[in-house]
Amino acid sequence: MLHIKIMSPSTTTPALAFRPLYKQVVGLITRSLEIGEWKPGVALPSEAELAVRYGVSQGTVRKAIDELVSANLLIRRQGKGTFVATHSDPDSFARFLCLAPNDGEPRPVSNVPLACWRAKAGADVARHLGLEPGALVIIVRRLLRIGEDPAAFDEIYLPGGLFSELTMDVLNSAESSLYSLFESRFGVRAIRANERLRAVSADKVSAEALQVAEGAPLLLAERVTFTYGDKPVEWRRGFYSTRNCHYHNELG
Amino acid sequence: MLHIKIMSPSTTTPALAFRPLYKQVVGLITRSLEIGEWKPGVALPSEAELAVRYGVSQGTVRKAIDELVSANLLIRRQGKGTFVATHSDPDSFARFLCLAPNDGEPRPVSNVPLACWRAKAGADVARHLGLEPGALVIIVRRLLRIGEDPAAFDEIYLPGGLFSELTMDVLNSAESSLYSLFESRFGVRAIRANERLRAVSADKVSAEALQVAEGAPLLLAERVTFTYGDKPVEWRRGFYSTRNCHYHNELG
DNA sequence: CAGTGGTCTAGACCACCTC
DNA sequence: AGGTGGTCTAGACCACTGA
């Protein structure tokens, strides 16, 4: 495959049109990931092969891969190869769950689907998901247990177009995380998310689900999840009971 | 300055003793930052000079600096140089404040010191700060306003040894953030922090400070802040009122 | 052993900033 | 014009993995 070293200096933005070669390679690799040329979990061609394919040096390919690794899209394993990141690999993709037990003891996390239905998107859900108001959305309620304790009660809004075959049966058949299910069953890969946290009082429904008193303080996490190209694919409101757990965050 | 390319293969861990050259350069630069050879805000010697100084190629120095840049210890500015990161630069170091107004309108953040006193460290504070129980700690209470709204009420515990001259007068003289004050006045540079969030009910003191009803839900953020060498330098409990603000976090 | 990623080098050239 | 960081190359060698 050929590449274009000289950027056409767009007349509107004369000097800003410069785009380094390795950035172009980033774009090409990302595109291949997006269209599924390399599936989650499998190895990419070696750096040397990619260098030939894109007509650049190995160093340039390396720099491109560096960027995709730090964006968590790829994983390097020395001596083995470079792999497409996947939510099925617990090591690499438990990073969207920020809840941890207070005492530090690791506990099994279990996923309890409660309900799944269709509805028309309201104004705010449509806005977050980039849909027309009234578009079809799928709503999932689920409980997350950490050890024995109910820790999170989530209401999850998904674009109907991407998840049309999602049902309670599908949810119940999922052995691991939801994102892993989205990836393997619907080809939707969650890349990054923006989360907003607030403290609220438990309403009746969430109090019951989390087995706390109505009015008890809960952590409300509202999350928009994105896939390639910053396309939103999930809007989620999660109520977290922080009696035995906390939300952890690293600043730096 | 000379460098050692061949690692003495420690007899206890034969094969694990390999340490790449650029990692050693990272260590040397970090050490210079730590002992204050280059102060916050000033430029480092050029990459070429550092290459000569450490007896390595410029590429190796670059790779070392890459790592320190992504750890937020250094900042590159093309055409100008590489600079020591500083909390005084609002661009680079507002990153410890995760609170933002709900409507997205940027508002001025103001810092209102309320109290400052000495005490002996209790068991948990001592543990978080790595001190002996009973060691001298300085406790600061302050209010953070975002626009006109009281947004955060913080109780901050500092090791007495590092901040011995901290008083209300010093706090009142600070024009910008606390971490900026720590850096310029006490030579203590906050590098990273671990934060744990919970939802709690407002007690009388924090309710009054934040002008919310007693029992209202608040976001409690407990933070340990570290400097070079993962040494803890601050333990903080902050109560956030999330009526007009939220805590934002990027996952991915 | 061969294949992979990881390190290191030396040198050329480019983009950006300042004087 | 002269300095800085930023890109790109080609090649050598090292560390890790697995057959």
Side-chain angles (χ1 to χ4, degrees), chain A residues 15-62:
Chain A
L16 286 71
F18 171 70
R19 204 159 165 242
L21 252 189
Y22 79 91
K23 285 279 187 189
Q24 302 181 44
V25 174
V26 166
L28 292 170
I29 296 178
T30 304
R31 177 84 190 122
S32 288
L33 292 171
E34 198 171 347
I35 66 177
E37 177 176 351
W38 304 307
K39 302 287 186 195
V42 310
L44 264 65
S46 73
E47 294 177 355
E49 287 176 80
L50 290 173
V52 171
R53 164 164 171 176
Y54 298 129
V56 300
S57 78
Q58 181 175 343
T60 299
V61 168
R62 254 192 99 64

Side-chain angles (χ1 to χ4, degrees), chain A residues 235-246:
Chain A
W235 158 246
R236 177 186 288 210
R237 306 180 84 226
F239 295 90
Y240 298 164
S241 166
T242 55
R243 217 173 13 181
N244 300 315
C245 294
H246 61 271

Side-chain angles (χ1 to χ4, degrees), chain B residues 89-112:
Chain B
D89 176 5
D91 282 353
S92 116
F93 260 98
R95 60 198 168 80
F96 284 80
L97 178 63
C98 298
L99 282 183
N102 286 337
D103 57 18
E105 301 270 332
R107 285 183 181 72
V109 175
S110 59
N111 192 359
V112 185

Side-chain angles (χ1 to χ4, degrees), chain B residues 20-22 57 60 63 78-79:
Chain B
L21 253 189
Y22 80 91
S57 77
T60 299
K63 189 154 185 177
Q78 179 168 161

Side-chain angles (χ1 to χ4, degrees), chain A residues 3 19 21 41 50 59 64-65 74 95 100-101 106 109 117 124 137 164-165 203 215 224 233:
Chain A
H3 64 281
R19 204 159 165 242
L21 252 189
L50 290 173
I65 292 179
L74 298 177
R95 62 198 167 80
V109 175
W117 72 95
D124 53 342
V137 293
S164 56
E165 293 176 19
D203 62 14
V224 188
V233 291

Side-chain angles (χ1 to χ4, degrees), chain B residues 8-245:
Chain B
S8 58
S10 139
T11 48
T12 60
T13 54
L16 287 71
F18 172 69
R19 214 172 156 228
L21 253 189
Y22 80 91
K23 285 278 188 190
Q24 303 181 44
V25 175
V26 167
L28 292 170
I29 295 178
T30 304
R31 177 83 190 123
S32 289
L33 291 171
E34 198 170 345
I35 65 176
E37 178 176 350
W38 305 306
K39 302 288 185 193
V42 309
L44 264 63
S46 73
E47 293 176 355
E49 286 176 80
L50 289 174
V52 172
R53 163 164 171 174
Y54 297 130
V56 300
S57 77
Q58 180 176 343
T60 299
V61 168
R62 253 192 99 66
K63 189 154 185 177
I65 292 178
D66 280 345
E67 202 161 281
L68 294 165
V69 165
S70 62
N72 289 117
L73 293 182
L74 298 178
I75 295 179
R76 286 190 210 272
R77 284 181 229 165
Q78 179 168 161
K80 300 175 76 171
T82 302
F83 298 78
V84 182
T86 169
H87 284 277
S88 305
D89 176 5
D91 282 353
S92 116
F93 260 98
R95 60 198 168 80
F96 284 80
L97 178 63
C98 298
L99 282 183
N102 286 337
D103 57 18
E105 301 270 332
R107 285 183 181 72
V109 175
S110 59
N111 192 359
V112 185
L114 300 175
C116 175
W117 72 94
R118 267 75 180 159
K120 297 192 179 197
D124 53 342
V125 172
R127 181 168 40 86
H128 287 117
L129 288 177
L131 302 172
E132 304 294 318
L136 180 68
V137 293
I138 301 173
I139 306 174
V140 173
R141 276 200 181 141
R142 69 100 180 246
L143 185 71
L144 206 76
R145 287 180 186 279
I146 296 187
E148 290 306 307
D149 301 316
F153 173 60
D154 292 301
E155 197 156 81
I156 299 167
Y157 300 81
L158 303 166
L162 291 175
F163 296 89
S164 56
E165 292 175 20
L166 183 61
T167 61
M168 270 302 273
D169 284 346
V170 173
L171 288 167
N172 279 313
S173 72
E175 58 295 325
S176 50
S177 81
L178 274 187
Y179 291 126
S180 175
L181 177 74
F182 293 173
E183 178 182 291
S184 59
R185 182 89 183 221
F186 300 94
V188 174
R189 269 178 278 172
I191 304 296
R192 63 176 195 88
N194 283 341
E195 202 151 61
R196 292 182 169 203
L197 306 180
R198 289 186 189 79
V200 299
S201 295
D203 62 12
K204 192 161 186 176
V205 177
S206 40
E208 194 165 343
L210 293 167
Q211 294 173 25
V212 298
E214 199 173 331
L218 296 179
L219 210 166
L220 167 60
E222 298 185 299
R223 175 190 295 183
V224 188
T225 313
F226 300 88
T227 187
Y228 299 103
D230 283 336
K231 186 183 162 196
V233 292
E234 180 198 50
W235 158 246
R236 176 187 289 210
R237 305 180 85 226
F239 294 90
Y240 298 164
S241 166
T242 55
R243 218 176 8 184
N244 300 315
C245 295

